[in-house]
Amino acid sequence: MLLPSRRVALPSAARPARPETRRAALALPALALVAACGADAEAGAADEVPAPALSFVDVAPGAGIDVVNRCGDPRRWYILESNGNGAAWLDHDGDGDVDLFVGNGSGVRYVDDGARLELLRDGSSRLYRNDGGGKFTDVTDAAGARTTAWINAVTVGDVDGDGDPDLYLACFGPDVLLRNDGGRFVDATAEAGLGCDLWGAGAAFGDADNDGDLDLYVANYVLFDPDAPPDGGRRQVIEGVEIGYGPEAENGRGYNPGAPDVFYRGDGTGRFEEATADAGLELEAGLCSYAVIFSDVDGDGWQDLLVANDLQPCNLFRNRGDGTFADEGLARGFALNAAGQATAAMGLASADFDGDGDFDVLRTNFDFEANSLHVNDGAGRFRDAAAELGLAGASEDRLGWGGGFLDADLDGDLDLLVANGHVLPQAPEIGMHGFLQESQLFEAVQVDGALRYRDATAEAGPDLRALRSARGVALADYDDDGDVDALVVDLDHAPRLLENRSARRGRWIAVALEGTVGNRDAYGAVVTVEAGGRRHVREMRTNDGLYSSHDPRLHFGLGLVDRVERVTVRWPAGGRTVVEDPPLDRLLAVREPRP
């Protein structure tokens, strides 16, 4: 959190009908096959009424997604009440489409004017089964997915290798592992050796040592005791307005200090062992951490770790390839922004947005701070190029949280969706921007032969522009029609399910992976699609952005092409699979070959 007394002056800048859904369960053969999924019609075929160039429409009310987010008292006088929640897309029942898990928080009652906080436990998680046709059914209780834990982050991984996606919930209070046993979840936290009781704000599964099973990194935010809030529960006063204390670097009084992160090694059977120090990930002092992602930023075949920290340098833990990591965030240009300053960082999203084959990183930041876009030089060294790419000026008056890269119009370039919303309902009274904000859609465009981003929010429809205090974003082609939709979690509201109704400017292919030698989710695999003289590269991970997990099927917009030459999968264990001439506008399912 960056309050007015600590902000710097920043320059202003001008900001600047569809095929029917068809679902198909996937049966995977020994090596690779093509599975039909989505529409038979060619992408780009016009409906009777031309679609807007970029358009997202909230269909949650009609779809049956109705859970209301709970996040403290409306005054939000305490840091606990501002962070919000995430969601996850996963095929929990194995029927071939993606279902939706939504985390939730709790109401809070201020006892003795805030000397103690009582957590009301009046919110709960929800699991919605995807029934097709844009409809969902609440199966929370039938599937054993209800918990009143105060969930911040939701991450998905098949921790026991049985083919069912499991859920790890990073919480205020003990974290929770919901193991999926044939479509029904059971609390396997204790059995797994998990249950960190620090305030978990981010979590990510990845195979850190390439041994074929999933490991887990949990990013913890601050140390906060609701029975003894900072300064006896008194609030700070700015311009006569009471507001809550932010993290330690903001208040300068030691309130809300950072909490240590925790790393667990998995054994492939669903059990984990804490290994933070052994992996070289233990720091001298805890940081105020939010998002964490595994991403092989230096291209050496080992997954590195990226961690966003609030008003502290961000971490880039480079994977040494021997089971240990080294923090090289400062040396590699990732820890700070373009001005050489630590930001109040929340979200991280990693993608090859510029098409050069390596993975760049978006970092969302606080009010009066531009979001950062760290461009990778191919060797894991970064430069914050948000200003020259058109992202900086458009984000200075917003507070960014979750988001991610997606090709909204299938033109072959990755666009960008960012959820925005302030932490302070009183923000306008102290000279900051509003608590309720528009989320933003940035379109990738070519300007004088170079890729740039332009703020296309105004054109994308009123539902994206709805004033909310938004947090987590989970991306998926939930209706299996060949484009990517977005679920946005909003404080005090039901989520928005933003169906993508943008005009199509090209064709597409999606890729579903199954590991057999490496981890079953194939986390860490790199998929390259060659079509129309371009190479589109994705890294297999579902956890990205903030708090949330995306569709496990990798989606590629291709532009105006008439064929895909080949799809190449580089598996985490080192093998490769090449599929020649797969059909367009279909889902390609690829299983890792055994040696």
Side-chain angles (χ1 to χ4, degrees), residues 322-337:
D322 61 359
T324 67
F325 293 80
D327 189 1
E328 299 182 3
L330 284 169
R332 290 179 174 267
F334 180 74
L336 309 173
N337 66 5

Side-chain angles (χ1 to χ4, degrees), residues 101-247:
F101 181 92
V102 183
N104 211 339
S106 171
V108 167
R109 186 169 72 90
Y110 300 162
V111 179
D112 295 332
D113 194 35
R116 180 174 66 84
L117 307 185
E118 179 185 353
L119 276 57
L120 301 179
R121 302 295 183 189
D122 53 353
S124 77
S125 56
R126 298 289 183 87
L127 178 65
Y128 294 96
R129 185 187 66 218
N130 190 340
D131 295 326
K135 301 295 183 181
F136 291 79
T137 297
D138 187 337
V139 295
T140 309
D141 292 320
R146 186 179 298 277
T147 174
T148 58
W150 191 324
I151 302 164
N152 276 184
V154 185
T155 191
V156 179
D158 184 1
V159 300
D160 50 6
D162 66 352
D164 297 324
D166 309 301
L167 287 164
Y168 186 85
L169 313 178
C171 305
F172 179 78
D175 295 348
V176 177
L177 176 68
L178 294 179
R179 188 183 66 218
N180 188 342
D181 290 343
R184 181 172 176 81
F185 291 94
V186 297
D187 187 338
T189 312
E191 179 184 342
L194 299 172
C196 179
D197 60 3
L198 298 170
W199 179 358
F205 286 115
D207 189 352
D209 44 12
N210 284 350
D211 65 350
D213 51 51
L214 290 182
D215 308 302
L216 173 67
Y217 189 97
V218 180
N220 295 308
Y221 186 45
V222 305
L223 302 176
F224 181 89
D225 183 355
D227 289 328
D231 200 20
R234 289 179 289 274
R235 282 72 64 185
Q236 59 181 322
V237 179
I238 295 179
E239 300 177 13
V241 179
E242 286 186 301
I243 65 168
Y245 286 106

Side-chain angles (χ1 to χ4, degrees), residues 465-481:
R465 300 196 310 269
L467 292 176
R468 298 284 191 272
S469 196
R471 296 297 187 263
V473 174
L475 303 172
D477 182 9
Y478 83 91
D479 49 6
D480 289 334
D481 66 351

